[in-house]
Amino acid sequence: MEKWVGRMLSSGNLYSANIRLFPIAPFGPGGLPDNVDNLLITWQSTNTYNAGLDLTTWNKRLEFSFDAYKKVTSDMLLATQLGAYSGLGTAWNDIKTPTTNDGRMTNTGFDIGLTSYNIQNNNFTWKTNIIFSKYKNILNRMNEPNATLPGTFDEYGTKSLVTLSQQGRPLGAFYGYVTDGLFRSQAELNNGIDYGLSIAPGSLWLGDVRFKDLNGDKVVDDKDVTVIGDPNPDFTYGFTNTFSYKGIDLSIFIYGSQGGDIFNYSRRQTEALSSPYNNQLTTVLNRYSANNPNGDLPRYNQWHNNNNRISDRYIEDGSYLRIQNVALGYNLPKSLISKIKVSNARFYVSVQNLYTFTNYSGYDPELGALNNNIRFMNIDNGHYPVPRTFTLGTNIEF
């Protein structure tokens, strides 16, 4: 139910001024202004343009389709960018700035489909279907050239900036520090760059992660964060082969994705190496130590959290090829089933998610959006993997 207080609503929307109600406060129930209204805003608009081509050749043995598209989203609903002088902001405890219609985002791409009837005779048929897709996402314009849409991940009350959407870049690009290996010598520690910590075994020391000074000011700080990955794949594809021999049929479907990055957030806990009481992956056995100076992972470090900064240390290639479905079936001969007044009887066995070829270290490279948030694409925080499913069944028609 909406509760009006002047021009203020206690139920949230973007066009009116809202209030936040508190049932318990030092002087009893009360409320605070939540945002500044803007009664002129409208719905954002989307225009989609398509062009396609379908061809059939070689006596209908080869079918080809091509579809190109462009989707333009304009008048996006964005928070007004105002300076601190206004007393307004976008944080959870701020009085929010007005929402305005501004911003533009473009998705362009194409899909190619190819179907081939390779063999067709009375006893044996073989059909192949291939699909190839490619798209590109760009956030063309925001209400200010330097405006951003931060993707801040809340981990038990600790907020970490993982993605940052900026004008001229893809939505949800990973954002963080760039690593430069580990400190493995005293000379590397004393390289003249200020990392914000003193040089000592209980502070910055051998085996800690070394970050790049991107702007060259001899200080590694938040001015050295940059785009470290893109969750969008270069292209996706699918491949289906269907065979039939007399009463036996076999179908094999594989698909894949190439080039998309994954931020393996779960490794921030399982490879943290900051507490002897936390479960860790077996990969930490190859950490840096006095006995293993060539270890791949940083040393055990309970003194500071620099080694676990949001960085390209957790960026992995999310490319994969998956055998998604294999189905084998058998249709009983008509001469046999007609005796029991059955028109068709088919027995089949199938398996879903048979095997995935990937170099990704997590359970499943096919992630989607974390918490259904488009700014958190391909972030793995313990994503439950797709199960492998075996099915045995029959289809009987009378």
Side-chain angles (χ1 to χ4, degrees), residues 141-191:
R141 189 184 73 247
M142 298 184 69
N143 44 17
E144 291 289 340
N146 296 324
T148 60
L149 292 174
T152 303
F153 188 72
D154 190 345
E155 182 187 350
Y156 306 114
T158 301
K159 298 182 183 297
S160 301
L161 180 67
V162 181
T163 72
L164 194 68
S165 302
Q166 302 168 287
Q167 183 171 301
R169 296 186 181 275
L171 186 69
F174 299 127
Y175 202 70
Y177 290 90
V178 178
T179 57
D180 193 20
L182 305 179
F183 290 106
R184 299 184 188 272
S185 68
Q186 198 68 36
E188 291 178 350
L189 284 170
N190 299 320
N191 60 4

Side-chain angles (χ1 to χ4, degrees), residues 30 32 37 56-57 75 83 150 155 163 177 290 306 326-327 340 360 363:
L32 290 174
D37 63 345
T56 301
T57 185
D75 294 330
E155 182 187 350
T163 72
Y177 290 90
N306 273 19
V326 177
I340 56 175
Y360 178 58
Y363 286 120

